[in-house]
Amino acid sequence: MKSISYLLLFLLLVEPPAQLHAQISEYEPITADNVERIQQIALLTHDSENTISQLTFHPSDRTLFSLAGVISLWDIETGSMLKELLLPTDYATSFSIHPNGNYLLYGGWDLTDHANFATLNHWNLNTDENTLLFREGNDDIEVITFNQDGKLYAAAGWDEKHTRVWKAKTDEMLVTLPGYAVRNLEFTQSNPLIVSGGETVVWDTERNMPVLSLDSPYVFQHPGLNAVFVRPNSSNQPYSMIDLERPDIAVPVGIDGSPFTFNTSGDLITIVYDGEIWLADFESGERLVAIGYYGGNFPPPIAFAPDGKYIAVPVGPGEIGIWGVPAL
């Protein structure tokens, strides 16, 4: 075991991260138990001058999708860009990949009629074919998300700031929620929709009514529990975990920083503290390792791979760091 450890140390000193990554075939999921071994395995450099606003892994392979006005695909095995999607729009504002991995939905600008229109589009990842689903308003689509089985999707934005929910199979619109600025949008395990902005509403999409309202600008769902993680608008208040089945019960959680993304097992959470992105132990709140930097508007673009073995974070202007834990 010591000889293997010495060999790994030697490789770290003499090999660049992308080449090292190609030599190590198996990575463990990043957990609180092995986070001290996490290392940057690739550095991706984006050519666009626009800020990287979203990072998402493909649900079934190790391709990373990034958004910086255009949507780019990256091979994290080599650290190279595979391609940019040639979307029929001047500027993409948000996107979400369907759980089956065959297509994505993206929001963009349509300037074809000498005016700005917010558009929602379907892009086939196998054929690179685009289908315009909706075009209206003159503001951006801020966020798009699918539910866990991919049967529903929601998008927030346009000039009225409405949030809308559709059936994915037919693109039939089911629900239109009252409008306000939205920063975070996600379905719970039982399919109510969490809409976070200046305030947060948990909306029952079947009954078309709110089931919970919270005085919190950001709300994040724990991946292993039917619960949300919140803090009131007053920054002096502690974070709390609220069980969606018992919303009257709030359990304080000791996190020092601004939390954003859980790993797949829910024992680690990324936080931003003084501009640095850290991995922190969710139960204790202890900051464990700094993995990136973010100086833009919140929430920052952070993505865990579906298998939990990689995390992508911004590490500088136009740069994306890929981190993983090697198997020894």
Side-chain angles (χ1 to χ4, degrees), residues 128-274:
D128 286 345
E129 293 178 322
N130 182 82
T131 302
L132 175 66
L133 299 178
F134 302 99
R135 186 181 76 166
E136 59 182 277
N138 60 3
D139 204 347
D140 63 343
I141 296 176
E142 297 169 354
V143 61
I144 304 168
T145 188
F146 286 95
N147 72 339
Q148 294 185 7
D149 62 13
K151 293 182 179 179
L152 300 175
Y153 65 88
W158 294 283
D159 53 349
E160 321 92 342
K161 303 297 183 185
H162 286 327
T163 298
R164 297 175 173 91
V165 181
W166 292 266
K167 286 185 178 179
K169 187 174 183 178
T170 62
D171 297 314
E172 173 191 355
M173 190 181 298
L174 299 177
V175 177
T176 298
L177 282 62
Y180 62 96
V182 175
R183 299 185 181 96
N184 191 39
L185 186 67
E186 58 182 327
F187 285 93
T188 68
Q189 295 176 1
S190 55
N191 283 340
L193 185 65
I194 302 173
V195 185
S196 305
E199 59 179 324
T200 292
V201 176
V202 181
W203 197 277
D204 187 321
T205 55
E206 291 187 357
R207 295 183 293 166
N208 194 14
M209 61 178 292
V211 294
L212 180 63
S213 182
L214 301 166
D215 179 25
S216 179
Y218 300 103
V219 172
F220 304 91
Q221 184 179 189
H222 191 284
L225 303 170
N226 192 28
V228 292
F229 186 53
V230 304
R231 184 176 71 172
N233 274 310
S234 172
S235 60
N236 296 324
Q237 298 295 318
Y239 294 101
S240 299
M241 179 73 80
I242 296 178
D243 189 333
L244 292 178
E245 296 180 0
R246 293 290 306 277
D248 55 317
I249 299 177
V251 179
V253 179
I255 294 289
D256 186 14
S258 299
F260 292 100
T261 307
F262 286 98
N263 67 341
T264 52
S265 60
D267 61 339
L268 290 176
I269 188 170
T270 60
I271 65 171
V272 177
Y273 186 85
D274 287 342

Side-chain angles (χ1 to χ4, degrees), residues 27 29 61 89 111 113 115-116 138 158 189 246 318:
Y27 280 78
D61 61 36
T89 181
L111 307 178
D113 294 335
N116 295 344
N138 60 3
W158 294 283
Q189 295 176 1
R246 293 290 306 277

Side-chain angles (χ1 to χ4, degrees), residues 65-73 83-85 87 92 95 104 106:
F65 289 62
S66 67
L67 174 62
V70 297
I71 299 175
S72 303
L73 278 63
K83 64 178 179 179
E84 290 183 349
L85 300 186
L87 308 175
F95 73 95
L104 60 80
Y106 73 93

Side-chain angles (χ1 to χ4, degrees), residues 7 9 39 62 64 75 77 156 183 230 234 256 262 268 306:
L7 175 60
L9 178 61
Q39 62 182 253
R62 292 174 176 174
L64 179 71
D75 182 352
E77 294 285 347
R183 299 185 181 96
V230 304
S234 172
D256 186 14
F262 286 98
L268 290 176

